């Protein structure tokens, strides 16, 4: 009887998606659209206008899962709104860059064993640079100093990769 109950319950639940899985998938998708978190506790994100169609498709997909709702709130193009979003976007870029810098500093002190770890950091710099350029074009965020810092850190990682490859040869 227990096995029968387990099989029956499995049949009922096998197509269900736990909230944590749905939330994680949603956040990954929004991050791929260069979203910026507007509240420190999450839940409210800004996505650049060029990605509006993708956000609407994501909204439609989420709303097909049970009673889930994803609310979109268009932001009117005002100087105050642009300035606020610019400050938030720059803060998000600075936080991401600081985290990468801390990681690179640790790599310089003690290089990772795998070269692939360093190569993934180079990919992270490319993604961060693309976000910075998007924010520059959409919000006129000043990112020259951040771009310069990214280039310096990227050179450091490139040097670590080169040293590792030279040592292996």
């Amino acid at each position: 009887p227990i096995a029968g109950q387990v099989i029956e319950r499995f049949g009922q639940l096998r197509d269900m998606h736990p909230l944590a899985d749905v939330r994680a998938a949603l956040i990954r998708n929004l991050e791929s659209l260069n979203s910026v978190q507007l509240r420190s506790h999450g839940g409210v994100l800004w996505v650049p206008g060029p990605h509006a169609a993708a956000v609407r498709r994501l909204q439609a997909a989420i709303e097909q899962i049970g009673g889930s709702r994803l609310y979109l709130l268009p932001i009117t193009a005002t100087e105050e709104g642009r300035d606020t979003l610019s400050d938030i976007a720059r803060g998000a870029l600075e936080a991401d860059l600081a985290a990468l810098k801390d990681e690179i500093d640790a790599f310089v002190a003690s290089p990772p064993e795998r070269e692939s770890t360093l190569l993934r950091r180079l990919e992270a710099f490319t993604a961060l640079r693309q976000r910075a350029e998007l924010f520059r074009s959409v919000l006129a965020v000043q990112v020259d100093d951040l771009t310069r810092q990214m280039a310096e850190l990227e050179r450091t990682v490139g040097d670590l990769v080169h040293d590792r490859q030279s040592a292996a040869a």
Side-chain angles (χ1 to χ4, degrees):
I2 292 175
Q5 290 175 343
V6 168
I7 291 170
E8 178 185 342
R9 193 69 176 143
F10 174 76
Q12 294 171 347
L13 298 176
R14 74 175 177 192
D15 293 328
M16 305 248 348
H17 300 282
L19 177 60
D21 291 351
V22 173
R23 180 177 287 131
L26 175 63
I27 295 301
R28 273 194 309 275
N29 277 279
L30 289 171
E31 286 174 351
S32 76
L33 300 174
N34 294 304
S35 67
V36 175
Q37 190 171 309
L38 297 180
R39 285 187 16 203
S40 60
H41 301 300
V44 179
L45 296 106
W46 172 78
V47 179
H51 298 296
V55 173
R56 290 199 189 334
R57 287 191 305 272
L58 183 59
Q59 178 187 29
I62 290 297
E63 291 183 354
Q64 291 178 8
I65 301 171
S68 299
R69 297 285 302 158
L70 177 65
Y71 295 98
L72 303 181
L73 177 64
I75 296 177
T76 307
T78 65
E79 187 174 337
E80 181 183 12
R82 187 178 54 252
D83 290 348
T84 300
L85 288 173
S86 293
D87 289 345
I88 292 168
R90 183 174 171 84
L93 289 171
E94 287 172 344
D96 290 349
L97 183 59
L100 278 171
K101 183 181 182 328
D102 290 346
E103 195 171 16
I104 301 309
D105 289 345
F107 289 167
V108 169
S110 176
E113 292 186 23
R114 297 183 186 163
E115 184 178 326
S116 61
T117 302
L118 294 171
L119 296 175
R120 278 194 306 275
R121 292 296 66 75
L122 288 174
E123 291 171 6
F125 282 116
T126 300
L128 189 58
R129 185 177 299 105
Q130 289 171 344
R131 273 182 76 198
E133 288 305 315
L134 176 68
F135 294 157
R136 178 198 317 258
S137 66
V138 173
L139 296 171
V141 174
Q142 297 303 314
V143 294
D144 293 336
D145 57 327
L146 297 177
T147 303
R148 200 171 18 263
Q149 290 176 43
M150 281 185 258
E152 290 171 14
L153 291 171
E154 197 169 20
R155 274 192 296 280
T156 301
V157 174
D159 291 345
L160 289 170
V161 170
H162 181 265
D163 292 348
R164 179 174 297 276
Q165 290 173 345
S166 295

